[in-house]
Amino acid sequence: MTQTAQRTDQAAPAHPELAQVSGSMITSTAAKALAALRVSMGFVFLWAFLDKTFGLHYATPSAKAWINGGSPTKGFLASVEVGPFQSFFHAIAGTWWANGLFMLGLLAIGVALIAGVAMRIAATSGVLMLALMWFAEVPFAQFTSAGEPTGSPNPFADSHHIYAVVLVVLAATYAGTTWGLGATWARLPFVHRHRWAL
């Protein structure tokens, strides 16, 4: 009786707790955690859009809502008191195009993250928006242009920095496939040809 050698070139069966995500293996729990992080991050952007548009009495009273003639950028950008871009931010505060781009960005990034589509585009746009907001606040500055203390709690890592890191992680892990439409989005002919649109 002859013994046959066991083949080692065959793939081992997948572990029951692992989920296949875009060519890499992560646990299904990790995939769900990333999905929860993705949806939560999307809601941060979407909520900012909704509150600034309709004045839901959280950060924006109804009298200052965008639909009632308020400006989503004027208050924040006009109050910039630190950094080398202070005059630039003052110049664009409340302009129609700054308002429009800011609100379109909030809406598009929020919807894309919640739906799990266009993760690379959403992450890149989100990081750019957060970087501009970071440059407006310049958390490493200790004093304003008038010489007053800024009260910055952390010179390096603030919420803009943390949110940007989260967006990069979500895009790098293709986190739109769990609890999202990422797999369907990736099969679209345009997206299949242009991987930057994933």
Side-chain angles (χ1 to χ4, degrees), residues 22 109 112-113 116-128 167-168 170-176 185 191-198:
S22 300
I109 295 165
L113 289 174
V117 299
M119 294 295 293
R120 288 180 178 174
I121 297 170
T124 302
S125 303
V127 168
L128 177 61
L167 289 174
V168 170
L170 292 174
T173 57
Y174 301 105
W185 177 262
V191 178
H192 191 69
R193 287 193 307 272
H194 305 283
R195 304 310 284 171
W196 54 265
L198 275 172

Side-chain angles (χ1 to χ4, degrees), residues 31-189:
K32 290 173 185 172
L34 285 170
L37 182 62
R38 186 197 81 232
V39 172
S40 300
M41 191 76 242
F43 193 66
V44 167
F45 284 90
L46 185 60
W47 178 259
F49 169 81
L50 294 172
D51 187 50
K52 291 177 186 307
T53 300
F54 301 108
L56 302 176
H57 297 285
Y58 286 87
T60 309
S62 60
K64 294 186 177 182
W66 197 27
I67 62 169
N68 293 330
S71 170
T73 63
K74 187 170 186 177
F76 176 67
L77 295 180
S79 65
V80 172
E81 299 177 334
V82 294
F85 302 107
Q86 183 176 351
S87 59
F88 168 73
F89 288 126
H90 288 180
I92 67 170
T95 60
W96 66 269
W97 59 268
N99 288 338
L101 286 175
F102 179 62
M103 295 300 281
L104 177 63
L106 289 176
L107 176 63
I109 295 165
V111 169
L113 289 174
I114 291 170
V117 299
M119 294 295 293
R120 288 180 178 174
I121 297 170
T124 302
S125 303
V127 168
L128 177 61
M129 180 181 287
L130 291 164
L132 288 171
M133 293 169 75
W134 186 88
F135 275 113
E137 292 186 351
V138 191
F140 59 80
Q142 292 181 311
F143 300 98
T144 67
S145 55
E148 298 292 324
T150 61
S152 176
N154 189 320
F156 304 109
D158 70 344
S159 61
H160 302 102
H161 172 258
I162 302 303
Y163 287 166
V165 170
V166 168
L167 289 174
V168 170
V169 168
L170 292 174
T173 57
Y174 301 105
T177 56
T178 301
W179 298 343
L181 303 173
T184 303
W185 177 262
R187 287 193 297 269
L188 294 175

